[in-house]
Amino acid sequence: MALDAAFREPPLAVHPVRWTGRYLAWAARRVPSGPPGRAVATGALAWAFGAVTAYGAGLLVSRAAARLPSPLRPVAVGVALWPLFAHRMLLDEVAGVERALASGGVAAGRAAVARIVSRDVSELTPDEIRQAAVESLGENLSDSVVAPLFWYAVGGLPAAALYRFANTADAVWGYRTPRWNHAGRVAARADDLLNLVPARLTGLLLAGRTVSWERLRAEAALTPSPNAGWPMAALALRLGVWLAKPGVYALGAGGRAVEPGDVRAALRLARRRGWALAAAAAVVAGARAR
């Protein structure tokens, strides 16, 4: 967490997500889009090879760290864990949307939010830009911070590395398009499965004591994704705002439009919860190791 806060990301040349992207691009040229059965099977094999490689790399690093002198072990593990999550980058990107709106107007805000969302931003109003930024903050807090730290607490570096591979594979292959509807099916389902617990944990962390489990669960169910709705619904209910993607979902019905103060409040919440979860993950991992 200290490395993340100080430097954001490690150099691109040694970033494992970049290596994962290269493998996925290489494999994509060899995975067919059809017929369905062949596409699913080949995509599954390509995904499994990458997953086993990621897990094995994490295992090798863990064993190498275990052979170091005691004071150096947590340092080595921390350096290896650093590129597997992205806390400061997420906070910086979301904060940058509000800064762009304030300094450059709607056009600059649209360009900034386009970096963190996949929807069409060409017609978004300032309220809708802030809304998209808050939604992205919630969803990516789960994917990029809570889930890697959760899996590290559960299974150490190997589990965290496997999760990061699975999440990256879903981002590249997990689309319902003619190209990836079948070939990327295993990648999409694996990511859904690995995020079942982290997404709900993120929702609880963001909701706090102010939102009941029943209300949070009901709102989360309004989204088509089995996981993304939990952190987004938690922020909508906690902040009292309305979050929606036209034609897909609407959360926090009756809430107000997202204001600059709401973006700042969401960022403070995500920052504090990220640090608190990192501390908890360290305690759990330490106890598991002993």
Side-chain angles (χ1 to χ4, degrees):
M1 287 295 284
L3 288 169
D4 176 80
F7 303 107
R8 219 166 86 148
E9 292 284 301
L12 190 60
V14 296
H15 205 303
V17 174
R18 187 187 189 192
W19 302 342
T20 298
R22 287 179 171 177
Y23 166 72
L24 292 170
W26 175 85
R29 296 191 292 270
R30 291 157 177 80
V31 175
S33 59
R38 182 184 174 198
V40 171
T42 309
L45 285 172
W47 183 93
F49 179 82
V52 169
T53 301
Y55 187 91
L59 190 61
L60 287 174
V61 173
S62 294
R63 290 179 174 175
R67 291 194 290 268
L68 294 173
S70 181
L72 296 180
R73 291 173 194 165
V75 176
V77 172
V79 171
L81 181 63
W82 171 29
L84 302 182
F85 67 96
H87 191 217
R88 180 184 162 188
M89 176 178 281
L90 172 61
L91 299 176
D92 286 351
E93 291 290 340
V94 175
V97 174
E98 187 58 42
R99 287 196 301 270
L101 273 173
S103 62
V106 177
R110 289 171 180 165
V113 82
R115 292 166 55 89
I116 56 174
V117 299
S118 57
R119 71 187 67 176
D120 179 13
V121 303
S122 61
E123 302 296 327
L124 295 185
T125 66
D127 288 345
E128 291 169 337
I129 291 170
R130 293 187 179 99
Q131 177 180 293
V134 170
E135 292 171 15
S136 181
L137 176 64
E139 185 174 0
N140 284 291
L141 183 68
S142 176
D143 289 353
S144 299
V145 182
V146 176
L149 293 176
F150 170 81
W151 285 111
Y152 168 71
V154 170
L157 279 176
L162 170 60
Y163 170 79
R164 178 47 61 205
F165 168 81
N167 188 245
T168 305
D170 177 62
V172 178
W173 291 358
Y175 295 99
R176 291 187 177 182
T177 62
R179 172 66 183 95
W180 292 110
N181 188 43
H182 302 294
R185 185 170 299 176
V186 169
R189 296 295 180 269
D191 184 71
D192 286 344
L193 180 63
L194 291 173
N195 275 300
L196 283 175
V197 174
R200 285 149 183 79
L201 176 59
T202 308
L204 290 173
L205 289 170
L206 293 174
R209 299 178 181 178
T210 62
V211 180
S212 69
W213 168 260
E214 290 75 16
R215 191 179 179 200
L216 177 60
R217 182 174 59 181
E219 285 288 315
L222 298 177
T223 65
S225 167
N227 298 318
W230 289 85
M232 292 193 297
L235 283 176
L237 297 173
R238 177 75 178 264
L239 300 173
V241 298
W242 185 65
L243 301 177
K245 187 173 183 180
V248 182
Y249 59 78
L251 305 173
R256 67 177 184 279
V258 179
E259 301 171 352
D262 296 314
V263 178
R264 291 191 292 271
L267 284 166
R268 285 194 300 271
L269 191 60
R271 181 177 294 107
R272 292 168 182 170
R273 295 299 184 265
W275 279 95
L277 182 69
V283 171
V284 172
R288 178 178 47 77
R290 287 192 297 271

